[in-house]
Amino acid sequence: MAEIMVFDGAATAGSFVANHIVDALGRAPGFTLGGATGSTPSPVYEALGAHAARGVDFSSMFAFALDEYVGLPAAHPQCYHTVIERAVTLPLGLEPERVHVPDGSADDIETAGERYEEELTAHGGVDLQLLGIGTTGHIGFNEPGSSFGSLTRVKTLTERTRADNARFFASPDDVPIHCVTQGLGTILRARHLVLLAFGKGKAAAIAAAVEGPVTASLPGSAIQLHPHVTVVLDEAAASELSFLDYYRWAQDNKPAWQGI
Ligand code: F6R
């Protein structure tokens, strides 16, 4: 069972997670953050940026992104390499060599996933993986049907995900069809998973991922197989959870020593 935490809004939730990351980095220089993109992790990145602006030193941190679109040039504002640079690398003052994103523009795209797995393994993996969830239940870009053992590889986005992400592009047709994404097996190797979701539009996917059957049809349900998961929600995203009263009770009575 994951630990479910419900906050009064995305900003409060983002500050909570950012504070935990700053503490973890303080305890273990060389801490490796697994970065997600999309709109969900923005409050975490903004709160981390505020810590950096107040003088917290992130220079010993490493980051590995979850995924990248195939075929978007680096100059495109939605190329995830560029998104991570804007949200993480620059505001936190990380050396670019410490930040890794799958290569979606490689000529030999068919082996880009293997190379990313090698980078991750040589580095020693991810300490804390931030995750968002798609309305299809995807984590990373592991759409329904993804194997729980899957590693980083090229995947095809669903039409639903392309429509959901069209808000970031000038035209819906500009949303790439393919991506390179960490697999569910890759994600499950991270030492701590922090799944965030905000808004009513995520409530069904969260209820299915947290309380539904573990099934490849709802890739986010893979979190139920991981021993250390924190699910960070606002009220709207938590609204379809059957055991919400219990999760609130546990949060209200959380021992101070426990951390997440
Ligand atoms: C992006 C990613 C995706 C998103 C998901 C939710 O790196 O891994 O799983 O987290 O599509 O996207 P938003 O946050 O934009 O709703």
Side-chain angles (χ1 to χ4, degrees), residues 36-40 66-67 80 132-134 138-141 167-168 202:
T37 45
S39 47
T40 304
L66 272 175
D67 41 24
Y80 283 171
I133 191 163
H138 68 225
I139 53 174
F141 275 140
R167 69 193 192 281
F168 295 117
K202 297 294 176 71

Side-chain angles (χ1 to χ4, degrees), residues 22 38 42 52 85 115 122 138 156 172 175 179 191 194 200 243:
V22 168
S42 299
E85 184 175 62
R115 287 195 297 281
H138 68 225
T156 306
V175 184
C179 60
R191 289 177 274 283
V194 177
K200 184 72 185 148
F243 299 105

Side-chain angles (χ1 to χ4, degrees), residues 3-258:
E3 180 171 29
I4 318 298
M5 306 193 77
V6 184
F7 293 86
D8 60 7
T12 323
S15 298
F16 175 81
V17 174
N19 290 346
H20 172 77
I21 291 170
V22 168
D23 288 348
L25 176 65
R27 282 193 304 275
F31 173 86
T32 300
L33 179 68
T37 45
S39 47
T40 304
S42 299
V44 178
Y45 297 146
E46 280 157 23
L48 288 174
H51 280 290
R54 281 197 298 273
V56 173
D57 180 8
F58 286 91
S59 62
S60 72
M61 193 171 92
F62 294 90
F64 277 82
L66 272 175
D67 41 24
E68 175 62 288
Y69 289 118
V70 169
L72 280 192
H76 193 288
Q78 280 309 310
C79 169
Y80 283 171
H81 184 273
T82 309
V83 171
I84 289 285
E85 184 175 62
R86 263 195 325 263
V88 177
T89 317
L90 294 174
L92 304 191
L94 302 186
E95 292 293 334
E97 308 77 59
R98 302 178 86 87
V99 181
H100 300 252
V101 182
D103 185 356
S105 301
D107 290 335
D108 45 354
I109 194 71
E110 62 274 25
T111 52
E114 273 169 55
R115 287 195 297 281
Y116 200 60
E117 287 289 329
E118 282 163 16
E119 282 177 49
L120 264 166
T121 304
H123 176 73
V126 164
D127 290 309
L128 184 152
Q129 179 64 58
L130 295 173
L131 296 169
I133 191 163
T135 54
T136 62
H138 68 225
I139 53 174
F141 275 140
N142 295 283
E143 297 285 23
S146 296
S147 157
F148 280 24
S150 52
L151 302 178
T152 309
R153 74 266 188 243
V154 173
K155 283 290 285 182
T156 306
L157 297 172
T158 59
E159 283 299 298
R160 174 70 188 268
T161 297
R162 292 184 68 233
D164 286 346
N165 287 5
R167 69 193 192 281
F168 295 117
F169 290 81
S171 145
D173 292 337
D174 292 350
V175 184
I177 293 173
H178 296 105
C179 60
V180 184
T181 180
Q182 287 189 28
L184 295 174
T186 320
I187 292 169
L188 289 173
R189 286 203 310 258
R191 289 177 274 283
H192 181 192
L193 303 181
V194 177
L195 171 61
L196 302 123
F198 307 121
K200 184 72 185 148
K202 297 294 176 71
I206 282 293
V210 172
E211 296 178 336
V214 174
T215 167
S217 300
L218 200 296
S221 66
I223 65 167
Q224 296 180 41
L225 299 174
H226 194 285
H228 188 186
V229 181
T230 311
V231 181
V232 174
L233 307 171
D234 67 1
E235 300 280 348
S239 60
E240 293 185 27
L241 288 165
S242 302
F243 299 105
L244 182 56
D245 287 349
Y246 168 63
Y247 307 141
R248 286 190 203 283
W249 166 255
Q251 187 175 352
D252 289 345
N253 290 287
K254 192 172 167 58
W257 51 262
Q258 196 175 47

